[in-house]
Amino acid sequence: MPANHTTPLSEGISATTLDDETREAALGADEQLPGAPRSERPHIRVFDATIDAVSAALLIVMVAVTTYQIVMRYVFNSPLPWPEELARWSFLWLVMLGAVTATRLGSHIRMTMFVHRLPTSTRPLTDLVAIGLSASSLAVIGYLGIRLMTDTTALSVNLGVSYSWLYAALPVGAALSVLMLLRARVPNASRGAVMIAVLFGLAGSLVVTTLIGRSILVIFDTTGLAILATLALMLLGAPIAHALLLGSVIAFEAGGLPELVVANNFASAVSTNFVMLAIPFFVLMGALMNASGITSALIRVAIAFFGHWRGGLGQVNVATSTLLGGLSGSSSADTAMVAKTLVGPMEKSGYSREFASSITAAASITATLLPPSISFLLYASLAGVSVGALFMAGVVPGLLYAAALMVAVWWLSGRGKYKVRAGEKAPTRERLLALGYAVPAFLLPIGVLFLLRAGAITATEAGAAACVFALILGFAVFRQLRPSGVWAATLESARDTAVILFLLAASGPLAWLLIAEQVPATLAAALANVENPSLLMAGIVVFLLLIGLILEPPPAMVLVVPILAPLAEAAGLDLVHLGVVLVLTVMIGQLTPPVGGLVFIAASITKSKVGKVFWEMRWLYVPIAIVLGLIVLIPAVSLWLPAVAGF
């Protein structure tokens, strides 16, 4: 390892991992549904640990069989027929069992903007309503899953196993999640009140599946009813995934549509999309790299090359997020990691805690623009575009975004109350040592892009290979990874994956309904006379900015991409360009009230006042807006590199 930099900038900076407090902040504790407290009963703790362990084991199986297929195909030139099918089946079970853990921890994403504006005294009631609605949604998908099992007679092509075993994941996961709801602890509400809420929810599922088709709701347009019901459930505080599911079922029942389509599309949204497997693989890769101590290595590189610039640790903060972005792909994880590591030293060097927190939140968006971006993977799965092209398209915008923030930090840090001290310029030897130590980590995202460009492996196989490479780096190069760290990273990745993919699966029925009702085609026809693509893109940006104000990025993308992608394609817009614009625009909502998820994460970890962090963010909106404008108005900013690389 290189010697540590001894200037004031490096004092107090060390590697860190996400502990429970930091993780809770990253999840947005105020947005969560009340979860179940850690039980004092040994058998319940064993039960919870078993669910977690099975989820993690399924993720390990997925990585192992995908890696095995890579070896068989490219080393022995003898690909096998069954690994992909086994990985996809394991994926659905991982999502459903991981959702059980998410329910226990209260990690499912909610939109609480409305219910949290009510008097504080109503908070227990709104939480109980949300629990009841979640129980209704779970009961419906469990019931439909059982029906799908009993109606299925087909065997899988390669494994020769009945599809009933695949669809069994739905009722098993739903039933276990309902049990977790019964264990939820709602502040200022009794255990009996929670049980009553769950029972009311289960009764509500019977009403939905038996009486909706005979109610006045049958006179409404099916698509409009689905959207309105989903929005109403979200406003009531139901987790967005459960609102999507229950809203779709209400519309299907009222419209007389086959309800099994809901369960089938829920399952197929995960089990038939091999590209989507890349999401948990790259999430695991990022977790493994964090557990390997890569953060400290990247901070040393940032200090060595940028610590002497005006702005000092502010420049290091942006540079660190940019370097981490090529490894984690998650803005939330980067915000939590950098906030915990750098904001304290930044405060000592002259920054206010709130301004340091605002820089941290803004800089972490580079993780969603630089490969391997989880947001790009999600968009690619929803829009059906090349993952490699999207990864390449995000490189220039990501670097441009980082450069704009560094210019802003340079400008602000020398003026008024923002005056801060910079460090000494690191000697060349120290720069080379820091860079040499971190080079293996830099090679990982570069290698992924190279393999995708060469067509050697798919995005999913690249994710599995990246996990293996991360293990090699952690154990053999950085030598800070331990088996316990690997297991903890796998558990964390399984939980995070389940939250994202359960939401994506829950959007499947609504997406099917929108397509069946030809909503995208109707919108495209209505906009056929719009001759200026830039005008259409500007309208899309305004729409996305409004969506980003009220929704987290994953549910926002799940809701709008199935509509916008066909619309943009019909209007002649490039879907790769749209993907970069969409991801950045929606992420800006993470820096603005009322959602401002990244700001809340940074403020929670640094113990800052959220309002003051938002106020300090005001100057950073300017460079962000300039970068967004350049990307929107000059498509070549995004499309030049993919074209040069041959995507």
Side-chain angles (χ1 to χ4, degrees):
M1 292 179 54
N4 289 328
H5 193 18
T6 57
T7 66
L9 288 182
S10 62
E11 293 177 1
I13 298 176
S14 60
T16 183
T17 56
L18 295 182
D19 56 20
D20 291 341
E21 180 183 356
T22 306
R23 180 177 176 79
E24 182 176 313
L27 288 171
D30 195 47
E31 299 291 320
Q32 296 177 48
L33 194 69
R38 179 177 172 83
S39 177
E40 298 297 326
R41 299 178 180 179
H43 63 281
I44 294 181
R45 289 204 301 270
V46 169
F47 176 77
D48 292 343
T50 301
I51 298 294
D52 294 347
V54 173
S55 300
L58 287 169
L59 180 53
I60 293 172
V61 167
M62 289 158 55
V63 173
V65 298
T66 305
T67 305
Y68 180 57
Q69 179 73 316
I70 295 173
V71 173
M72 294 302 296
R73 175 181 291 130
Y74 299 108
V75 178
F76 297 101
N77 196 28
S78 180
L80 300 172
W82 55 266
E84 179 179 328
E85 192 167 79
L86 178 59
R88 288 190 284 107
W89 281 42
S90 300
F91 196 17
L92 181 60
W93 276 93
L94 166 62
V95 169
M96 293 307 298
L97 292 180
V100 177
T101 300
T103 303
R104 187 183 84 235
L105 298 177
S107 301
H108 285 299
I109 302 170
R110 301 168 70 197
M111 187 179 75
T112 56
M113 182 179 64
F114 172 71
V115 295
H116 282 185
R117 289 185 181 276
L118 298 175
T120 306
S121 59
T122 65
R123 186 70 59 85
L125 178 60
T126 57
D127 284 343
L128 290 172
V129 169
I131 287 174
L133 293 174
S134 297
S136 291
S137 170
L138 290 166
V140 167
I141 196 61
Y143 160 69
L144 295 179
I146 292 174
R147 285 194 54 192
L148 199 58
M149 288 175 59
T150 57
D151 289 359
T152 298
T153 58
L155 301 179
S156 65
V157 175
N158 298 311
L159 294 175
V161 178
S162 171
Y163 273 97
S164 295
W165 290 104
L166 172 67
Y167 298 135
L170 273 61
V172 171
L176 292 175
S177 292
V178 170
L179 290 178
M180 297 304 169
L181 288 176
L182 288 169
R183 291 170 50 192
R185 176 178 292 173
V186 178
N188 301 317
S190 66
R191 180 63 59 84
V194 173
M195 295 181 67
I196 291 173
V198 172
L199 291 176
F200 266 100
L202 297 178
S205 67
L206 292 176
V207 173
V208 170
T209 54
T210 59
L211 299 180
I212 291 292
R214 306 173 190 175
S215 70
I216 194 174
L217 294 179
V218 298
I219 68 174
F220 292 99
D221 173 72
T222 306
T223 305
L225 178 60
I227 294 173
L228 288 176
T230 298
L231 290 176
L233 293 169
M234 288 166 53
L235 289 174
L236 288 172
I240 295 173
H242 295 310
L244 283 166
L245 264 177
L246 200 55
S248 297
V249 173
I250 290 172
F252 270 72
E253 295 288 350
L257 298 173
E259 57 188 9
L260 284 186
V261 172
V262 173
N264 187 59
N265 276 274
F266 180 94
S268 62
V270 174
S271 62
T272 63
N273 194 335
F274 189 60
V275 173
M276 208 172 291
L277 282 171
I279 294 177
F281 292 168
F282 281 113
V283 170
L284 177 59
M285 181 209 75
L288 290 172
M289 292 303 291
N290 283 334
S292 299
I294 187 59
T295 305
S296 59
L298 296 182
I299 289 176
R300 281 197 293 273
V301 172
I303 289 176
F305 283 87
F306 304 103
H308 62 284
W309 288 15
R310 192 167 86 181
L313 282 180
Q315 306 287 7
V316 171
N317 189 315
V318 178
T320 300
S321 288
T322 305
L323 296 174
L324 276 174
L327 296 173
S328 72
S330 168
S331 292
S332 297
D334 282 7
T335 300
M337 191 71 69
V338 176
K340 193 171 185 182
T341 307
L342 281 178
V343 170
M346 287 177 70
E347 195 174 4
K348 292 178 182 178
S349 71
Y351 282 95
S352 69
R353 184 181 306 179
E354 290 77 16
F355 186 41
S357 298
S358 69
I359 293 174
T360 301
S364 66
I365 287 183
T366 55
T368 62
L369 296 173
L370 297 173
S373 165
I374 304 303
S375 294
F376 281 162
L377 287 170
L378 183 57
Y379 175 85
S381 300
L382 292 167
V385 299
S386 166
V387 173
L390 270 174
F391 280 179
M392 280 291 186
V395 172
V396 173
L399 296 177
L400 181 63
Y401 180 93
L405 281 184
M406 295 181 85
V407 170
V409 170
W410 179 88
W411 178 267
L412 293 169
S413 60
R415 283 165 170 74
K417 66 175 182 178
Y418 294 114
K419 287 184 178 179
V420 296
R421 57 188 173 87
E424 300 173 1
K425 186 175 182 178
T428 302
R429 181 177 180 276
E430 183 169 341
R431 290 187 175 191
L432 293 176
L433 285 173
L435 186 61
Y437 185 68
V439 158
F442 298 148
L443 292 177
L444 199 156
I446 295 173
V448 168
L449 289 174
F450 176 78
L451 291 173
L452 290 175
R453 168 61 188 88
I457 56 178
T458 66
T460 299
E461 291 171 339
C467 290
V468 175
F469 188 57
L471 286 172
I472 294 172
L473 288 179
F475 282 114
V477 178
F478 300 119
R479 298 182 182 180
Q480 295 187 33
L481 191 60
R482 299 290 182 269
S484 59
V486 174
W487 184 244
T490 307
L491 289 170
E492 176 187 335
S493 300
R495 289 194 295 262
D496 293 345
T497 295
V499 172
I500 298 172
L501 274 301
F502 187 86
L503 172 63
L504 187 60
S507 72
L510 180 58
W512 181 92
L513 182 60
L514 292 173
I515 294 172
E517 297 289 324
Q518 299 185 329
V519 172
T522 303
L523 291 173
L527 294 171
N529 295 326
V530 178
E531 298 179 355
N532 190 339
S534 297
L535 182 62
L536 176 59
M537 184 66 85
I540 290 175
V541 167
V542 172
F543 170 68
L544 292 173
L545 285 172
L546 293 175
I547 291 293
L549 290 176
I550 59 175
L551 287 177
E552 297 281 340
M557 293 174 65
V558 163
L559 289 173
V560 304
V561 171
I563 297 175
L564 289 183
L567 174 64
E569 190 171 26
L573 297 178
D574 189 285
L575 290 185
V576 173
H577 179 219
L578 175 66
V580 177
V581 171
L582 184 146
V583 167
L584 176 56
T585 306
V586 172
M587 285 303 302
I588 289 174
Q590 293 295 285
L591 303 177
T592 58
V595 175
L598 297 178
V599 172
F600 279 96
I601 292 171
S604 176
I605 291 173
T606 61
K607 311 301 182 186
S608 304
K609 292 185 177 180
V610 174
K612 289 186 176 180
V613 177
F614 276 126
W615 177 249
E616 295 290 355
M617 183 74 71
R618 68 194 186 281
W619 299 115
L620 300 180
Y621 293 140
V622 176
I624 293 172
I626 292 173
V627 172
L628 178 61
L630 289 174
I631 295 172
V632 170
L633 298 175
I634 309 175
V637 174
S638 302
L639 301 179
W640 170 77
L641 189 57
V644 170
F647 282 99

